[in-house]
Amino acid sequence: MDLNEIKGVYKEVFRCYEHPSLEEHIQKIIELDEYLPYSSTFFCITNTRDLTFEYVSKNMTACLGLDKNLFDSQGMRYFWARMHPDDVEQWLQALNELMKFTLSEIALEDRSKMSYTWNYRLMNGDGIYMNIVQNTTPIEFDLANKPIIGLAHYTVLAPEIKMSICATAKKLNDKNEYETVYFNNFSQKLLTDAVSNRERDIIRLLVLNYSSKEIAEKLNISSNTVDTHRRNILKKFNISSTGELIGIIKMNNNII
């Protein structure tokens, strides 16, 4: 998926009906940023109408080793171009589903109480794809009460951590506590759709610790065919070993 396609889907998800004013919000964020310590997190004010970052905190360069000027001049297109290509489709689907859920399930008066979280991988200044967990709180809405301006917090995690792409929506309740009102694992859905019935049979037997020879006997196919299926399964899951596959299945026991 190229940048023009991403832009098209993104702008459709966040299509807005007014021109909100950001000056007051931006000034407050700038003042706050001066006092915050350096850490593994940074924040931005995101403008989904103009596809820009209205403000990028000082921690961004420390976290990712990227040039803040490129965030300012190229906006979200620069950010998208650094996303792992395998994550883009799930990420866009997650954003779309969160927006659909908000518009259909969250009352107008509650939309300012929402907080959204999703994740993806982003290439840092050294060419390494880091895990990013993004939490966005709406601060401006359009005439249809659709959230389009957000305060986004980004937590940067090590690339060795294997993370499915998930999306969560939380609402601030009467006790001023966030409660989860939506959760979805989008990587899980795509993997489920990608695995054939025969591959599912093999995965289930692998989880039960059967060898390729034993699986071949149970399924009445050759050991070479089983090994071919096993290689294809690992490729689809983008992993390198059966042990890692079994770990994923056990953590997501409804994936197959």
Side-chain angles (χ1 to χ4, degrees), residues 186-224:
F186 291 90
S187 295
Q188 186 179 99
K189 282 188 173 182
L190 289 177
L191 288 172
T192 302
D193 293 342
V195 174
S196 69
N197 290 333
R198 176 60 82 194
E199 288 168 341
R200 286 192 180 91
D201 292 337
I202 291 172
I203 290 172
R204 293 187 180 105
L205 293 171
L206 287 171
V207 171
L208 295 174
N209 295 320
Y210 284 102
S211 66
S212 289
K213 182 179 179 182
E214 291 169 329
I215 293 173
E217 292 173 354
K218 285 186 171 292
L219 299 180
N220 196 29
I221 56 179
S222 72
S223 294
N224 287 337

Side-chain angles (χ1 to χ4, degrees), residues 101-252:
F101 171 81
T102 297
L103 296 180
S104 63
E105 303 295 333
I106 303 301
L108 296 180
E109 62 271 19
D110 289 333
R111 292 182 188 173
S112 62
K113 303 175 184 177
M114 297 298 294
S115 177
Y116 305 94
T117 303
W118 57 86
N119 64 285
Y120 45 84
R121 289 169 291 176
L122 191 81
M123 183 187 294
N124 68 10
D126 294 325
I128 299 171
Y129 282 105
M130 307 296 290
N131 286 300
I132 304 291
V133 179
Q134 179 175 341
N135 177 266
T136 296
T137 303
I139 57 176
E140 284 281 359
F141 298 82
D142 68 8
L143 290 176
N145 282 291
K146 190 175 186 178
I148 55 171
I149 306 296
L151 175 58
H153 291 82
Y154 305 82
T155 300
V156 182
L157 301 175
E160 292 79 13
I161 300 173
K162 300 294 183 181
M163 300 180 68
S164 296
I165 296 193
C166 300
T168 304
K170 295 183 179 182
K171 185 176 73 172
L172 198 65
N173 61 24
D174 295 336
K175 298 179 181 179
N176 283 327
E177 299 171 340
Y178 276 110
E179 57 180 272
T180 300
V181 293
Y182 174 91
F183 172 82
N184 211 335
N185 184 329
F186 291 90
S187 295
Q188 186 179 99
K189 282 188 173 182
L190 289 177
L191 288 172
T192 302
D193 293 342
V195 174
S196 69
N197 290 333
R198 176 60 82 194
E199 288 168 341
R200 286 192 180 91
D201 292 337
I202 291 172
I203 290 172
R204 293 187 180 105
L205 293 171
L206 287 171
V207 171
L208 295 174
N209 295 320
Y210 284 102
S211 66
S212 289
K213 182 179 179 182
E214 291 169 329
I215 293 173
E217 292 173 354
K218 285 186 171 292
L219 299 180
N220 196 29
I221 56 179
S222 72
S223 294
N224 287 337
T225 300
V226 174
D227 288 337
T228 298
H229 282 304
R230 290 179 65 162
R231 287 193 295 272
N232 290 337
I233 292 166
L234 296 181
K235 184 176 180 181
K236 288 181 179 181
F237 280 73
N238 193 28
I239 56 179
S240 58
S241 71
T242 300
E244 191 175 355
L245 170 67
I246 292 171
I248 290 174
I249 300 303
K250 287 182 176 179
M251 285 190 294
N252 300 275

Side-chain angles (χ1 to χ4, degrees), residues 37-166:
Y38 286 100
S39 66
S40 61
T41 66
F42 65 97
F43 60 85
C44 303
I45 292 180
T46 58
N47 186 328
T48 60
R49 183 200 67 205
D50 297 335
L51 306 182
T52 59
F53 295 102
E54 299 290 342
Y55 183 72
V56 179
S57 75
K58 64 185 181 185
N59 272 359
M60 186 280 296
T61 299
C63 289
L64 294 174
L66 300 177
D67 186 349
K68 182 178 179 298
N69 292 327
L70 293 175
F71 275 65
D72 295 335
S73 63
Q74 299 184 32
M76 293 183 183
R77 294 175 184 83
Y78 172 69
F79 200 79
W80 298 337
R82 303 194 73 87
M83 276 189 176
H84 196 295
D86 292 344
D87 294 352
V88 170
E89 183 179 349
Q90 297 100 307
W91 163 73
L92 284 171
Q93 186 182 0
L95 293 186
N96 188 53
E97 292 300 321
L98 283 172
M99 185 61 71
K100 286 167 58 179
F101 171 81
T102 297
L103 296 180
S104 63
E105 303 295 333
I106 303 301
L108 296 180
E109 62 271 19
D110 289 333
R111 292 182 188 173
S112 62
K113 303 175 184 177
M114 297 298 294
S115 177
Y116 305 94
T117 303
W118 57 86
N119 64 285
Y120 45 84
R121 289 169 291 176
L122 191 81
M123 183 187 294
N124 68 10
D126 294 325
I128 299 171
Y129 282 105
M130 307 296 290
N131 286 300
I132 304 291
V133 179
Q134 179 175 341
N135 177 266
T136 296
T137 303
I139 57 176
E140 284 281 359
F141 298 82
D142 68 8
L143 290 176
N145 282 291
K146 190 175 186 178
I148 55 171
I149 306 296
L151 175 58
H153 291 82
Y154 305 82
T155 300
V156 182
L157 301 175
E160 292 79 13
I161 300 173
K162 300 294 183 181
M163 300 180 68
S164 296
I165 296 193
C166 300

